[in-house]
Amino acid sequence: MSSSVQLTATELFERAKTIHENIRTWRRTIHRYPELTFTEQRTASLVNATLVDLGIETETEVAKTGVVGHIRGGNGPVVGLRADMDALPIQEVNGSEFDSTRPGIMHACGHDAHTAMLLGAATLLKGLADEGKLPGSVRLLFQPSEEAQDSEGKSGGMRMVEEGALQGVDAVFGLHVDPFHDVGYVATRPGPMMAAADKFELVITGSGGHAARPQSTVDPIALSAHVINAVHQVVSRRLDPTEHGVITIATIHGGTVDNVIPDQVRMTGTIRSFTPKARDLLHVELKRAVSIVEPLGGRADLTIHPGYPPTVNDPTAAEHMMATMRDLLGDDHVAESELIMGAEDFSYMAQAAPGCFLRLGVHNPDWKEYYPVHRADFRMDEDALPIGAAALALTALRWMEAKR
């Protein structure tokens, strides 16, 4: 039976500070040995061994290389806490004592920290369970492959939901390092927070020939100029100005030599949106824009690959998490997040249960520069680690106390 004495935010934060060095060690170990999408065996082994040492029941090989932990408390709600474990194909240049030992692979998005902080939260929550102070249960969701998808187009978050890892969960919470906010500051918001991300492939086909005789060709490079202009007008002229969206052409390839007009030009890019209405419109208008080549004698073959849906925070869960963070960090350190055009497969978990995603500041205020994610010099202030662990643990605890 759980105790009726509520642990204060300060008391839980102090407990988190006592395991700071453990969290730091987990983070640096994972950072030294990064693993790409669905190959996170070493990381999963570390996670599983740590949870087992804590006396936490585990399931392994969930969503291929994921780990799910179960902390049993009282008869109250089941709260899911999520961390992603995969790294990126980037060569690290930081020169720290714990730099990646694997050429061309780096934890450049902070997933090493996410995993370590969730292990810290697990330590705190298991301690409360052992003391009879956990009103409900916790589902620890250590997922693989947030950064990429497998050959079936599925990410770790998608597979975890498909395999039932969220079944019976009453609410789910996660966080992400934010290198543009100082340590001690957090942000989230109700409703849409991060964008849907779809990618597209486009082939513009004309009729090639000698570059000195363009009149005998249908030049796909010239056609591509019309396409680029048309595509770049979709958001500004077809999307409702009160909506948000982005279409970016990110690659363009055509031709092999300076005196030959090629037959084809290939482009790829991304489409970002926050609502189903905007998402559908951008898809339709992109198709219309690229068809501009048809009356000019060319052909446009467009393939749109749907990606992650928008990350939409449940209003009740978001208000709960913001209130909990104000209790933990103070009113002045909790902000409403801006809309973010980046995408997250936490979105699938937030569709399976009421959810909220938190931005955790990791910038050292003494640093003159910012070190964004997905860069070879990404770095974080490790003083954020116990804050993240406490944030996850306290959010779960307060939800159980409020909903039991």
Side-chain angles (χ1 to χ4, degrees), residues 40 44 66 68 202 207 221 260 301 330 351-352 398:
E40 305 92 343
V68 174
L202 174 62
S207 177
I221 291 179
V260 175
D301 295 303
Q351 290 178 341
R398 290 287 187 264

Side-chain angles (χ1 to χ4, degrees), residues 122-179:
T123 305
L124 298 172
L125 292 165
K126 183 59 166 65
L128 293 176
D130 291 344
E131 296 166 15
K133 296 178 179 178
L134 194 67
S137 296
V138 180
R139 190 86 50 85
L140 304 165
L141 305 162
F142 292 91
Q143 73 149 84
S145 184
E146 187 277 328
E147 297 288 357
Q149 299 79 49
D150 59 18
S151 60
E152 297 179 25
K154 296 180 180 181
S155 70
M158 295 171 72
R159 288 195 174 277
M160 278 207 156
V161 171
E162 286 183 356
E163 294 179 20
L166 276 291
Q167 188 172 353
V169 167
D170 296 290
V172 61
F173 299 95
L175 56 72
H176 200 292
V177 297
D178 185 342

Side-chain angles (χ1 to χ4, degrees), residues 353-364:
C356 185
F357 202 55
L358 185 75
R359 308 291 299 184
L360 177 77
V362 297
H363 177 258
N364 185 319

